[in-house]
Amino acid sequence: GQQLNQSPQSMFIQEGEDVSMNCTSSSIFNTWLWYKQDPGEGPVLLIALYKAGELTSNGRLTAQFGITRKDSFLNISASIPSDVGIYFCAGLTQGGSEKLVFGKGTKLTVNP
Amino acid sequence: DSGVTQTPKHLITATGQRVTLRCSPRSGDLSVYWYQQSLDQGLQFLIQYYNGEERAKGNILERFSAQQFPDLHSELNLSSLELGDSALYFCASSVDGSGTWLFFGEGSRLTVL
């Protein structure tokens, strides 16, 4: 089946540093989504990308939909302690939840 | 607060038992999704309902079943539980069934001993 390879698996950074994580697949997706899961909470949608090449920002977060439609990246600038959590990418091929595939997540730790 | 309510938050039970997890979607959302999150497996899609009817099925075991009721709340039934069923079970809801804008509940943590 379709799989998303998300990297890195975990990151340990200092407050103020920029962060970059990415997601790749051998399959093409029509939509890329980035979610964040805080400890003890459910995932929350951060950014949705709908077109190849699209670059979208949400505050200190920036995400891009790869030109090949097989990858996406998420950047976080000037990290702060509350950025701690697990970041998931998800790809959607077409309408229908059976096609929403999640990566295994990137666990981010920010040291003050 | 996503507006999606899941109960119970924690559940400890023994192998072979049966449990029911409950989900109330956000007000106005017609579609409910169930996901399983194990330690190393990420979020695995189980099943989706839209306005009371099953819309899509993922990697849901035959021992598991779900339904969505007329008031749009949903229940996930897990039977003949095994140790490997221990996981976080998330419910998510969306206005339509497109799978894009999902709002997740806080999850039900199931521990099978």
Side-chain angles (χ1 to χ4, degrees), chain A residues 23-54:
Chain A
C23 220
T24 61
S25 175
S26 57
S27 302
I28 289 176
F29 291 96
N30 292 337
T31 301
W32 282 94
L33 309 166
W34 285 91
Y35 283 85
K36 182 193 177 198
Q37 184 177 16
D38 289 329
E41 304 285 331
V44 174
L45 183 65
L46 298 173
I47 291 180
L49 302 156
Y50 300 104
K51 291 192 310 187
E54 180 181 355

Side-chain angles (χ1 to χ4, degrees), chain B residues 19-70:
Chain B
V19 299
T20 297
L21 310 179
R22 182 188 167 101
C23 169
S24 294
R26 289 189 326 153
S27 176
D29 284 0
L30 298 178
S31 199
V32 168
Y33 311 72
W34 286 97
Y35 284 84
Q36 180 191 57
Q37 186 178 37
S38 302
L39 203 55
D40 298 321
Q41 293 299 314
L43 284 158
Q44 300 291 320
F45 169 66
L46 296 178
I47 198 163
Q48 177 199 0
Y49 283 84
Y50 179 79
N51 205 19
E53 300 205 351
E54 183 182 305
R55 168 70 71 94
K57 217 171 207 181
N59 300 322
I60 187 166
L61 299 172
E62 285 192 13
R63 299 183 287 108
F64 297 179
S65 65
Q67 54 183 327
Q68 186 180 28
F69 295 87

Side-chain angles (χ1 to χ4, degrees), chain A residues 66-78:
Chain A
I67 294 290
T68 64
R69 294 165 64 191
K70 293 182 179 181
D71 63 331
S72 176
F73 72 74
L74 175 71
N75 287 340
I76 305 173
S77 63

Side-chain angles (χ1 to χ4, degrees), chain B:
Chain B
D1 181 5
S2 67
V4 178
T5 304
Q6 286 188 249
T7 58
K9 285 195 175 354
H10 301 276
L11 192 54
I12 301 174
T13 188
T15 55
Q17 295 297 305
R18 171 191 169 96
V19 299
T20 297
L21 310 179
R22 182 188 167 101
C23 169
S24 294
R26 289 189 326 153
S27 176
D29 284 0
L30 298 178
S31 199
V32 168
Y33 311 72
W34 286 97
Y35 284 84
Q36 180 191 57
Q37 186 178 37
S38 302
L39 203 55
D40 298 321
Q41 293 299 314
L43 284 158
Q44 300 291 320
F45 169 66
L46 296 178
I47 198 163
Q48 177 199 0
Y49 283 84
Y50 179 79
N51 205 19
E53 300 205 351
E54 183 182 305
R55 168 70 71 94
K57 217 171 207 181
N59 300 322
I60 187 166
L61 299 172
E62 285 192 13
R63 299 183 287 108
F64 297 179
S65 65
Q67 54 183 327
Q68 186 180 28
F69 295 87
D71 67 352
L72 301 178
H73 91 270
S74 178
E75 292 181 356
L76 178 66
N77 301 298
L78 315 174
S79 62
S80 302
L81 286 168
E82 303 174 358
L83 296 176
D85 296 328
S86 295
L88 259 174
Y89 291 85
F90 284 105
C91 169
S93 72
S94 69
V95 170
D96 57 22
S98 68
T100 305
W101 290 91
L102 299 188
F103 293 85
F104 283 81
E106 293 184 351
S108 292
R109 181 172 292 282
L110 173 66
T111 303
V112 182
L113 301 176

Side-chain angles (χ1 to χ4, degrees), chain A residues 2 11 24 29 35 41 48 56 59-60 77-78 80 85 94 96:
Chain A
Q2 293 162 322
M11 301 182 75
T24 61
F29 291 96
Y35 283 85
E41 304 285 331
T56 297
R60 293 178 296 105
S77 63
I80 59 178
Q94 57 188 17

Side-chain angles (χ1 to χ4, degrees), chain A residues 57-93:
Chain A
S57 292
N58 178 7
R60 293 178 296 105
L61 277 59
T62 301
Q64 185 158 28
F65 192 147
I67 294 290
T68 64
R69 294 165 64 191
K70 293 182 179 181
D71 63 331
S72 176
F73 72 74
L74 175 71
N75 287 340
I76 305 173
S77 63
S79 58
I80 59 178
S82 62
D83 290 334
V84 163
I86 303 177
Y87 291 80
F88 291 99
C89 63
L92 184 67
T93 51

